[in-house]
């Protein structure tokens, strides 16, 4: 059966007329060279070969995995101003849909995950275009993009998502990868509105970090699973050093095992943030050494999560939720 990583990132600096950009502030951040290295590229290479190089390297590394066959690569729409126009000053990273859709078509193991800020005046048309271009889901980062999932102005957007059959993968919990974030917008309780409108919602990182209104975000997410059969959560990033114990904590809730989807938050596993040695207490030295010797980041991620108690069936659920034909991209 096909194993799909539902949560994989790319990046770009605008090389090769990609339309991507990274803000000067983020490029000055200590995180920027780490991200470049984790993608397996240098600034010089990007300027010479174009941002498509990131996708090529990602595809090649994924093709070398023995455990994961495909990954959903996520676009990133930006912040928009009061007129609904892209606000470059407040946008830290931008990856346009048309660039990503075109590049994913070049790589059979990469699936196109679109991103459309719902506050754009032509948001519905952009959703239609993304679906026509082969998008398998739509990704939001509310705390970065400045969107409130509970805003009733978004009801037409949610209804279009439901009509198109496009799931909404949206960040829940603290956001720590950018230089600024409004984490009040990542409160999982705000997802009630899209769920009520019939959208398949995937809570990224299973809301395992942070608190909202004095309550842990995971505790605010859990009751929604019982109420809405169309709610899922991904387990990406849950083995990072800043999230130690998060995966076992989620897995304690056996009632949601059937709603968990496999994801990595790649390239973060390639930065060393998910080293098995961070889990030495749970794994023991022999198992930690075995896992640390696995070179491919996807293979190591799968094996580490299995060792920490992830049921194997979680690996195979994404293809069904996204309605991906098992032979569609991998025959």
């Amino acid at each position: 059966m096909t194993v799909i990583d539902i949560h994989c990132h790319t990046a770009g600096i605008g090389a090769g007329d990609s339309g991507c950009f990274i803000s000067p502030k983020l490029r000055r951040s200590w995180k920027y060279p780490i991200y470049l290295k984790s993608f397996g590229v240098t600034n010089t290479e990007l300027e010479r070969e174009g941002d498509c190089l990131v996708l090529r390297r990602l595809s090649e590394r994924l093709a070398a995995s023995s455990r994961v066959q495909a990954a959903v690569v996520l676009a990133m729409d930006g912040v928009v101003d009061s007129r609904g126009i892209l606000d470059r000053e407040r946008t830290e990273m931008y990856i346009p849909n048309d660039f990503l859709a075109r590049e994913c078509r070049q790589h059979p193991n990469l699936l196109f995950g679109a991103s459309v800020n719902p506050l754009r005046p032509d948001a519905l048309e952009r959703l239609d275009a993304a679906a026509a271009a082969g998008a398998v889901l739509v990704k939001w980062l509310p705390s970065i993009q400045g969107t409130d999932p509970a805003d009733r102005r978004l009801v037409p957007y949610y209804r279009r998502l439901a009509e198109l059959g496009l799931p909404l993968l949206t960040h829940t919990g603290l956001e720590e990868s950018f230089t600024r974030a409004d984490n009040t917008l990542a409160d999982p309780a705000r997802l009630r509105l899209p769920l009520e409108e019939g959208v398949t919602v995937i809570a990224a990182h299973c809301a395992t970090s942070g608190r909202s209104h004095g309550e842990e975000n995971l505790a605010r997410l859990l009751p929604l699973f019982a109420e809405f059969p169309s709610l899922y959560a991904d387990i990406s990033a849950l083995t990072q050093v800043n999230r130690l114990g998060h995966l076992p904590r989620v897995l304690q809730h056996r009632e949601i095992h059937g709603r968990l989807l496999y994801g990595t938050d790649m390239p973060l596993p390639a930065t060393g943030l998910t080293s098995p040695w961070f889990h030495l207490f749970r794994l023991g030295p022999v198992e930690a050494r075995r896992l640390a010797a696995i070179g491919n980041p996807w293979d190591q991620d799968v094996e580490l999560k299995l060792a920490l108690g992830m049921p194997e069936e979680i690996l195979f659920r994404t293809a069904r939720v996204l309605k991906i034909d098992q032979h569609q991209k991998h025959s």
Side-chain angles (χ1 to χ4, degrees):
M1 295 180 68
T2 303
V3 177
I4 299 174
D5 175 358
I6 201 170
H7 196 131
C8 184
H9 293 284
T10 186
I13 59 173
D17 295 321
S18 69
C20 302
F21 69 81
I22 297 172
S23 73
K25 186 175 183 181
L26 188 56
R27 288 184 71 161
R28 290 192 300 268
S29 165
W30 59 270
K31 298 176 181 179
Y32 179 66
I34 295 174
Y35 290 153
L36 279 182
K37 185 177 179 181
S38 67
F39 280 121
V41 300
T42 65
N43 220 70
T44 301
E45 285 178 319
L46 287 181
E47 289 170 355
R48 184 178 66 241
E49 299 187 45
D51 290 338
C52 58
L53 177 64
V54 177
L55 280 301
R56 188 163 80 244
R57 294 272 164 86
L58 199 65
S59 175
E60 289 168 353
R61 192 183 293 182
L62 178 57
S65 168
S66 63
R67 299 303 302 260
V68 181
Q69 287 76 50
V72 180
V73 185
L74 305 171
M76 173 72 77
D77 204 354
V79 181
V80 299
D81 62 21
S82 58
R83 299 167 297 165
I85 297 171
L86 181 68
D87 188 335
R88 293 180 68 98
E89 294 298 314
R90 293 165 57 216
T91 297
E92 294 199 44
M93 181 181 291
Y94 179 65
I95 303 162
N97 288 327
D98 53 358
F99 161 74
L100 187 57
R102 182 175 68 248
E103 292 306 316
C104 283
R105 283 194 289 270
Q106 305 303 312
H107 304 286
N109 56 358
L110 302 183
L111 300 164
F112 167 41
S115 184
V116 177
N117 190 315
L119 299 180
R120 286 184 178 272
D122 60 346
L124 301 189
E125 289 83 357
R126 286 173 180 258
L127 288 180
D128 290 341
V136 297
L137 55 75
V138 170
K139 172 63 159 56
W140 280 3
L141 233 171
S143 48
I144 300 303
Q145 293 169 318
T147 56
D148 179 0
D151 186 344
R152 292 206 62 84
R153 292 178 299 169
L154 308 190
V155 167
Y157 183 103
Y158 293 143
R159 291 179 178 171
R160 185 62 59 87
L161 278 179
E163 290 168 7
L164 293 170
L166 285 175
L168 175 64
L169 172 62
T170 183
H171 184 96
T172 51
L174 289 179
E175 170 50 59
E176 302 172 288
S177 298
F178 293 81
T179 64
R180 56 148 194 89
D182 179 1
N183 285 309
T184 63
L185 298 174
D187 174 2
R190 294 177 181 266
L191 300 177
R192 176 174 292 276
L193 181 59
L195 289 164
E196 288 175 341
E197 293 298 330
V199 178
T200 295
V201 175
I202 303 162
H205 319 303
C206 203
T208 49
S209 61
R211 303 173 71 87
S212 299
H213 300 281
E215 186 178 19
E216 287 191 347
N217 282 320
L218 177 58
R220 294 173 68 77
L221 177 66
L222 288 171
L224 296 176
F225 285 105
E227 194 173 346
F228 297 102
S230 59
L231 175 62
Y232 295 86
D234 80 31
I235 56 170
S236 64
L238 298 195
T239 55
Q240 288 179 191
V241 64
N242 58 325
R243 294 177 183 263
L244 290 181
H246 285 204
L247 180 60
R249 186 156 62 98
V250 166
L251 294 175
Q252 287 175 0
H253 299 278
R254 299 184 63 85
E255 74 279 5
I256 68 168
H257 281 193
R259 308 290 190 82
L260 298 178
L261 307 177
Y262 175 71
T264 62
D265 212 8
M266 200 67 72
L268 293 183
T271 64
L273 283 172
T274 62
S275 169
W277 292 111
F278 295 135
H279 306 271
L280 183 60
F281 178 75
R282 289 181 183 273
L283 297 172
V286 174
E287 183 70 345
R289 186 178 298 111
R290 180 185 76 84
L291 295 171
I294 299 173
N296 185 279
W298 274 280
D299 290 348
Q300 186 184 87
D301 186 79
V302 168
E303 294 296 333
L304 175 58
K305 285 172 177 168
L306 289 171
L308 291 172
M310 176 186 71
E312 193 165 13
E313 60 265 24
I314 288 174
L315 292 170
F316 309 111
R317 188 167 295 121
T318 297
R320 296 197 298 272
V321 172
L322 297 182
K323 300 180 175 62
I324 302 295
D325 183 338
Q326 300 295 307
H327 304 287
Q328 182 175 334
K329 296 279 280 189
H330 325 291
S331 56

